[in-house]
Amino acid sequence: MSTLKPRDTAAGSNGTEPALNPVQAAAEAGLTVVDWIDERTQLSPGIRWMMFRKVPRGINWAYTLGSATMFAFLNQAVTGVFLAMFYRPDANGGAYESIRNINDNVFLGQFVHGMHKWGASVMIILIFLHMGRVFFFGAYKYPRELTWIIGVVLLILTMAMGFTGYLLPFDQRSYWATIVGVNINNTAPFLGPYIGDFLRGGPEFGATTLSRFYAIHMMLIPGLMAALIGLHLYLVMKLGISAPPWLSRTSPRPRPRSSRSR
Amino acid sequence: MHLGCPVRYSEAAERFICPCHGGVYNFRGEVAGGPPVRPLDRFYTFVANDYVYIGPRYSVNSELQRFHPRDPGEPLDGIGQYLYPSRPDTPTLPSTKDLPLPPTVPGTSV
């Protein structure tokens, strides 16, 4: 962790530096580059602030569910990028054919497709476990209400990702499931018919719907989610992690067993 | 249609059955059971050139009164017709002039 500390520059200032071997010279050059960047960006105080936080006593594995959800999101992002390299949003059989090509011909294509499909379910499950942890531990209370609200928005956006992504294979299952899903949106009073027209890109379900869902799935929502996850994480670090509810805030730290006298 | 799943006529039941959530319609398309909120949509039909032509779709409420076509799942009874407004550009009945001629049926041409 020497790069995270300010380096002692006084030692080399007397002009009598010993000759360096190539390995030492390379290491020195690397450190110089890192120092050059760090001096201009002041990253290391930020990294120190982020990584060396105080956490309350008594935290347990349930506190890792948020990180697990974030890694599920990163998995979706990475596998989604590779799927997008081979996918074609063509409603006239091209979309289905490109998915079949991914599954049958592309190297590790079926594996990456499966990672994306099952990873979506894993992400939903992890989100609900994370939400349950926050709810039952009372971690949504002051001052963390905004973190909770952003989390709810992220949950809704994840649901929208699932809804839009389900159509993309464009097989019989995804086609009819999405028709039913759009029609469920239609049943909202007053606004319903307009929501349906927006989702379909018109009164009919067709090629416009597929390209629209594709754009929403891989451009609009991922950007929003990345930004909101950044804000969520910033708030978690700024406000600190809440203590488990079974630890009273005012109770003193328990003395070591050896010093107790009874 | 209940919410968009395609219904089909079941010969054994003599009814239209929705495969998704078990909506049942009788032979006139009226709801006989299950979750659907209005009868099956209908199509205008008219006879020309000795053929039956199918026109635009329209929706009916439970008393078979005609309404502009609605999306599936939107009720038309009571205040339902006001809760779910139809599109402003709802198609109207086309004129029966200049109809495309029906395709010739193989074996019937003179």
Side-chain angles (χ1 to χ4, degrees):
Chain A
M1 300 310 271
S2 63
T3 60
L4 293 178
K5 294 173 187 166
R7 297 182 65 228
D8 183 15
T9 53
S13 62
N14 54 8
T16 58
E17 292 183 44
L20 296 172
N21 67 36
V23 176
Q24 286 172 323
E28 196 67 20
L31 287 178
T32 308
V33 169
V34 170
D35 279 351
W36 189 91
I37 294 172
D38 189 37
E39 191 175 342
R40 278 148 190 84
T41 59
Q42 296 293 311
L43 271 179
S44 62
I47 292 175
R48 216 178 293 125
W49 174 79
M50 187 173 80
M51 300 299 286
F52 299 100
R53 287 170 290 133
K54 283 189 167 22
V55 294
R57 279 179 292 124
I59 65 169
N60 53 43
W61 278 98
Y63 283 77
T64 63
L65 287 167
S67 301
T69 311
M70 188 183 72
F71 279 104
F73 174 78
L74 292 177
N75 171 62
Q76 294 303 99
V78 171
T79 55
V81 164
F82 284 107
L83 288 175
M85 291 177 183
F86 295 93
Y87 179 74
R88 271 185 298 136
D90 171 18
N92 296 319
Y96 178 79
E97 199 57 31
S98 66
I99 291 289
R100 197 194 56 73
N101 180 50
I102 288 171
N103 285 342
D104 294 355
N105 301 330
V106 177
F107 176 66
L108 288 182
Q110 194 172 24
F111 177 70
V112 173
H113 185 194
M115 288 278 285
H116 199 72
K117 178 189 170 176
W118 295 105
S121 298
V122 167
M123 186 172 168
I124 296 280
I125 292 168
L126 285 173
I127 281 179
F128 275 102
L129 290 176
H130 175 55
M131 195 172 79
R133 199 282 295 172
V134 171
F135 182 77
F136 288 114
F137 283 28
Y140 58 87
K141 292 175 185 173
Y142 177 85
R144 299 181 182 83
E145 296 100 325
L146 188 60
T147 320
W148 171 268
I149 290 169
I150 292 172
V152 171
V153 175
L154 280 168
L155 168 68
I156 294 167
L157 287 176
T158 310
M159 296 284 193
M161 284 296 264
F163 182 60
T164 51
Y166 202 79
L167 175 70
L168 300 185
F170 223 62
D171 51 14
Q172 287 288 327
R173 184 203 300 265
S174 64
Y175 181 81
W176 290 109
T178 308
I179 281 186
V180 170
V182 170
N183 285 330
I184 289 172
N185 282 291
N186 281 337
T187 60
F190 300 115
L191 285 179
Y194 305 103
I195 296 172
D197 281 11
F198 166 74
L199 289 174
R200 279 182 302 234
E204 297 299 325
F205 193 99
T208 323
T209 319
L210 181 61
S211 51
R212 178 165 297 210
F213 272 46
Y214 184 54
I216 293 173
H217 185 80
M218 72 170 278
M219 293 184 193
L220 178 64
I221 301 182
L224 278 175
M225 284 184 74
L228 286 176
I229 286 173
L231 203 53
H232 197 77
L233 286 181
Y234 170 75
L235 285 175
V236 166
M237 285 158 193
K238 182 75 179 171
L239 301 173
I241 294 171
S242 67
W246 52 83
L247 288 185
S248 172
R249 214 163 94 97
T250 54
S251 68
R253 172 183 284 273
R255 283 177 296 161
R257 188 170 290 277
S258 57
S259 66
R260 282 182 196 167
S261 56
R262 272 192 70 164
Chain B
M1 290 199 274
H2 164 220
L3 280 172
C5 290
V7 300
R8 60 185 177 83
Y9 189 71
S10 168
E11 293 280 353
E14 295 181 327
R15 279 168 178 79
F16 292 94
I17 309 284
C18 179
C20 288
H21 301 115
V24 181
Y25 306 88
N26 66 15
F27 71 100
R28 289 198 295 182
E30 293 164 323
V31 178
V37 293
R38 68 165 198 260
L40 289 176
D41 286 351
R42 299 178 169 203
F43 291 92
Y44 286 106
T45 55
F46 47 93
V47 176
N49 302 326
D50 292 335
Y51 282 89
V52 177
Y53 284 81
I54 292 180
R57 174 172 69 94
Y58 65 95
S59 300
V60 294
N61 66 6
S62 62
E63 289 154 8
L64 298 184
Q65 290 171 318
R66 292 179 195 177
F67 287 90
H68 285 307
R70 301 297 206 278
D71 282 318
E74 300 174 359
L76 281 173
D77 294 320
I79 63 167
Q81 56 180 301
Y82 306 113
L83 291 181
Y84 303 99
S86 65
R87 289 186 188 79
D89 58 339
T90 299
T92 52
L93 203 59
S95 74
T96 54
K97 293 172 185 171
D98 301 327
L99 286 173
L101 278 177
T104 55
V105 180
T108 58
S109 59
V110 182

